[in-house]
Amino acid sequence: MNFYNVMSVLVIIINFLISLTIIFRNREKPEKSIGWLLIFMLVPFLGLILYFLVGRNWQSKNLKERLSPEMVDFVKTSLDEYAGPHQEMAKMVTMGNGSPMFLYNDIKIFKDGVEKFEELLKDLANAKHHIHMEYYIVKSDKIGRQVFDLLIKKSEEGVKVRFIMDKIGGRTFDKEYLKKIRESGIELVTYSAQFASISKFVDTSINYRNHRKIVIIDGKIGYLGGNNIGDEYRGESKFGYWRDTHSRIEGEFVLGLQALFFDDFFSVLSINEEAKKWEYDKKRQTYKREGDLSNYFPTSTVTNYLPMQLIYNGPGSPYSTIEQLFLKMITSAKEKIYISSPYFIPSDSLTQALKMAILSGIDVKIVFPEQYDHPPVGHASMTYIKELLDVGGEFYFYDKTAFYHNKAIVVDTNICTLGTANFDVRSLYYNYEVNAVIYDELTAAKMEGLFYDDMAVSRMLTLDEYNQGSVFTHLKESFFRIFSLLF
């Protein structure tokens, strides 16, 4: 028996054992199990590589799924004080993440990265005590260097600067510039799923990423939304204008962002120390726990009543708190549901909930990009869109000369959510995400206004138009749908 035959038999045996694990031990969703079985059967060698890269479910909990008791002690607000119409939803979020109700806040909504970065750079320049930042994609391009040059300056002035960067999202970052950043005193750490790295340079896990994008300045100002750090988020790329909601918040909610950041930061330090990561070993004395964290949780002076909650999840969650939020918002709707997302691969539960809402007479509208940045995901999304078109849902393609990266849901003009989570299974099950739930009619109305603005530069996709698509196009969409729940 030659080498090729031996390897073929070995791969088939390994794939068979993995298949048994997926079906009987992990008890994955049937559609996911079938997808992997098809891959192993059709392309055994490639299937094994793909499973190694994106199929494994890390059982260890890398980042916390609930606020730690230490962090909860610094968050002084209470759910009991909220007397609004969404008490059941608020209680569900608290049970899922331990997030209280943050009652007094001011929020400013940005429609794109141009607006966001203009304001962010001003706030960073005015920082007095600390700057905490956590981003998925971080580039050392024009805006990246603007941000980090400013952070270096603030660090040298004595402001404490901490930064969490995802290893995959920051893979193109200039290594020499990174060295300069660390030498300035900035505590910059990179997140990687436990056991996912085979060297200090290679991360083998495409899933299980830290997709969060938050900023906290002096414990008083917070940023949350869909913009990463890169020139494309200011419309400077092949995609053209980049539509993406971000928010600037002052008030009690910032304390929640601060608590989440500290939990994430110290969790990443623990992961790096356990794995003996080079970056931790070289800076062991610099990356140390604060003796008095109370300095990072100042009492808010904001008096504007605007109730908000923090909701987040990750791959270690026994259930997806963000999926539960989306389901609760959809099933509680009385008149309308407006959804914005660059990717649309909902779970079966969300698909059925949307169908029920549409068939019940609820006005369901979804805006989606006509220009894809990830074609396989875009093709698979169209099959789910077709399911909702069949029952009367309305879909709109955003201006094809631009890219639509917006992530938001507005229900009945009285509640909304925005943040980092897309309307897809990757955000629901495989990545670390964070959203704000905003229980405020005025903010919901502003978000709805932005949605109408998006519709004004979009075109409606009808069921007839979809059905007139070529056989090849529909086959391609169906093919990618088979594998859409795997990744």
Side-chain angles (χ1 to χ4, degrees):
M1 185 178 288
N2 61 35
F3 177 77
Y4 176 78
N5 290 336
V6 171
M7 290 301 297
S8 297
V9 172
L10 183 61
V11 167
I12 290 171
I13 291 173
I14 294 173
N15 288 349
F16 176 73
L17 294 175
I18 292 173
S19 299
L20 292 179
T21 301
I22 291 171
I23 296 170
F24 296 109
R25 185 178 183 277
N26 295 349
R27 297 182 178 179
E28 299 283 8
K29 296 177 182 293
E31 57 269 34
K32 182 173 182 178
S33 299
I34 292 170
W36 279 117
L37 291 175
L38 280 171
I39 289 178
F40 291 152
M41 181 177 66
L42 297 174
V43 283
F45 284 94
L46 179 60
L48 184 58
I49 295 171
L50 281 174
Y51 184 78
F52 183 63
L53 291 175
V54 301
R56 297 168 302 164
N57 185 4
W58 304 111
Q59 297 301 315
S60 57
K61 295 182 180 179
N62 295 327
L63 304 183
K64 292 180 173 62
E65 307 298 336
R66 292 175 61 88
L67 291 179
S68 64
E70 183 180 14
M71 290 301 117
V72 170
D73 287 342
F74 289 112
V75 180
K76 303 299 184 182
T77 56
S78 171
L79 182 65
D80 297 335
E81 298 175 35
Y82 173 65
H86 300 285
Q87 294 182 42
E88 290 183 0
M89 190 179 301
K91 182 178 181 180
M92 181 194 73
V93 173
T94 299
M95 294 294 290
N97 287 139
S99 173
M101 182 67 73
F102 302 101
L103 293 173
Y104 299 97
N105 301 281
D106 286 318
I107 186 169
K108 185 175 183 179
I109 306 296
F110 305 113
K111 67 179 180 181
D112 54 39
V114 174
E115 294 183 350
K116 174 243 181 147
F117 282 112
E118 181 181 359
E119 194 90 1
L120 176 61
L121 290 169
K122 292 177 184 177
D123 286 333
L124 293 176
N126 292 326
K128 299 295 189 294
H129 182 260
H130 68 270
I131 298 169
H132 290 160
M133 303 180 73
E134 182 172 1
Y135 277 90
Y136 171 53
I137 293 176
V138 185
K139 296 184 178 180
S140 49
D141 52 13
K142 286 189 296 183
I143 187 60
R145 288 179 183 269
Q146 268 188 273
V147 169
F148 279 101
D149 284 349
L150 183 51
L151 293 181
I152 290 171
K153 180 175 181 291
K154 299 306 293 186
S155 179
E156 292 172 345
E157 290 175 359
V159 174
K160 189 68 172 179
V161 181
R162 295 182 175 94
F163 200 108
I164 306 172
M165 178 193 301
D166 185 86
K167 190 167 186 177
I168 293 292
R171 66 190 180 279
T172 64
F173 202 91
D174 183 87
K175 299 302 184 290
E176 287 300 314
Y177 190 45
L178 193 62
K179 181 180 178 182
K180 178 183 177 182
I181 291 168
R182 288 197 170 105
E183 288 175 346
S184 74
I186 294 173
E187 295 185 10
L188 189 151
V189 297
T190 56
Y191 166 80
S192 178
Q194 281 184 333
F195 314 123
S197 295
I198 60 176
S199 79
K200 70 181 183 181
F201 300 112
V202 180
D203 190 312
T204 60
S205 178
I206 295 174
N207 287 325
Y208 316 113
R209 307 316 319 173
N210 183 5
H211 197 242
R212 294 169 182 165
K213 308 161 186 68
I214 59 177
V215 179
I216 306 99
I217 300 170
D218 293 341
K220 299 176 180 179
I221 299 170
Y223 282 77
L224 172 65
N227 283 285
N228 289 291
I229 297 179
D231 288 338
E232 62 266 40
Y233 298 92
R234 297 195 300 178
E236 299 174 15
S237 75
K238 64 180 181 180
F239 295 105
Y241 177 70
W242 191 285
R243 167 72 176 96
D244 205 344
T245 297
H246 218 90
S247 63
R248 179 188 186 275
I249 304 149
E250 293 185 73
E252 296 174 345
F253 183 80
V254 180
L255 303 179
L257 288 178
Q258 186 81 289
L260 179 62
F261 177 88
F262 269 125
D263 274 347
D264 286 354
F265 188 83
F266 292 130
S267 293
V268 173
L269 285 185
S270 297
I271 295 166
N272 288 353
E273 183 178 24
E274 182 179 329
K276 301 188 184 305
K277 300 275 182 154
W278 65 278
E279 68 175 67
Y280 186 88
D281 291 337
K282 290 177 69 175
K283 293 285 237 176
R284 185 176 298 276
Q285 298 306 314
T286 302
Y287 297 154
K288 56 188 177 182
R289 207 169 181 81
E290 287 282 341
D292 186 2
L293 290 176
S294 63
N295 294 326
Y296 293 84
F297 292 86
T299 301
S300 172
T301 58
V302 175
T303 58
N304 180 52
Y305 184 76
L306 196 158
M308 299 175 64
Q309 275 184 297
L310 188 75
I311 186 162
Y312 57 97
N313 60 231
S317 305
Y319 47 82
S320 170
T321 52
I322 291 180
E323 180 186 29
Q324 289 183 336
L325 171 69
F326 289 178
L327 281 168
K328 189 69 172 177
M329 292 180 72
I330 292 167
T331 56
S332 67
K334 299 293 189 296
E335 297 178 4
K336 50 193 173 184
I337 303 166
Y338 296 160
I339 299 172
S340 306
S341 182
Y343 318 111
F344 192 78
I345 300 180
S347 64
D348 186 62
S349 298
L350 287 172
T351 302
Q352 296 307 315
L354 285 172
K355 287 182 179 179
M356 289 172 59
I358 294 166
L359 293 171
S360 299
I362 305 295
D363 179 22
V364 176
K365 291 182 170 65
I366 300 170
V367 175
F368 182 78
E370 187 159 10
Q371 179 183 192
Y372 303 149
D373 64 337
H374 297 297
V377 181
H379 297 321
S381 296
M382 293 306 301
T383 65
Y384 295 94
I385 289 172
K386 201 270 185 182
E387 282 192 49
L388 298 189
L389 287 174
D390 281 337
V391 294
E394 293 184 20
F395 274 84
Y396 296 84
F397 277 132
Y398 192 76
D399 179 5
K400 65 181 179 181
T401 66
F403 184 64
Y404 197 70
H405 197 246
N406 196 38
K407 316 160 193 296
I409 302 176
V410 185
V411 171
D412 292 344
T413 327
N414 60 29
I415 185 171
C416 62
T417 183
L418 62 88
T420 71
N422 299 304
F423 207 85
D424 71 347
V425 293
R426 183 185 291 266
S427 282
L428 300 180
Y429 305 139
Y430 304 142
N431 286 341
Y432 290 100
E433 306 282 2
V434 57
N435 268 38
V437 194
I438 307 169
Y439 304 89
D440 178 66
E441 292 184 5
L442 180 58
T443 305
K446 291 178 181 177
M447 292 293 291
E448 188 172 295
L450 288 176
F451 187 88
Y452 286 131
D453 290 344
D454 295 342
M455 286 178 56
V457 293
S458 302
R459 68 177 187 86
M460 187 175 182
L461 173 67
T462 65
L463 181 59
D464 286 342
E465 180 187 347
Y466 178 87
N467 289 335
Q468 289 169 9
S470 69
V471 173
F472 174 74
T473 297
H474 290 164
L475 286 175
K476 181 170 55 176
E477 293 168 352
S478 297
F479 173 81
F480 284 112
R481 178 179 174 129
I482 293 173
F483 308 115
S484 64
L485 298 183
L486 305 184
F487 312 128

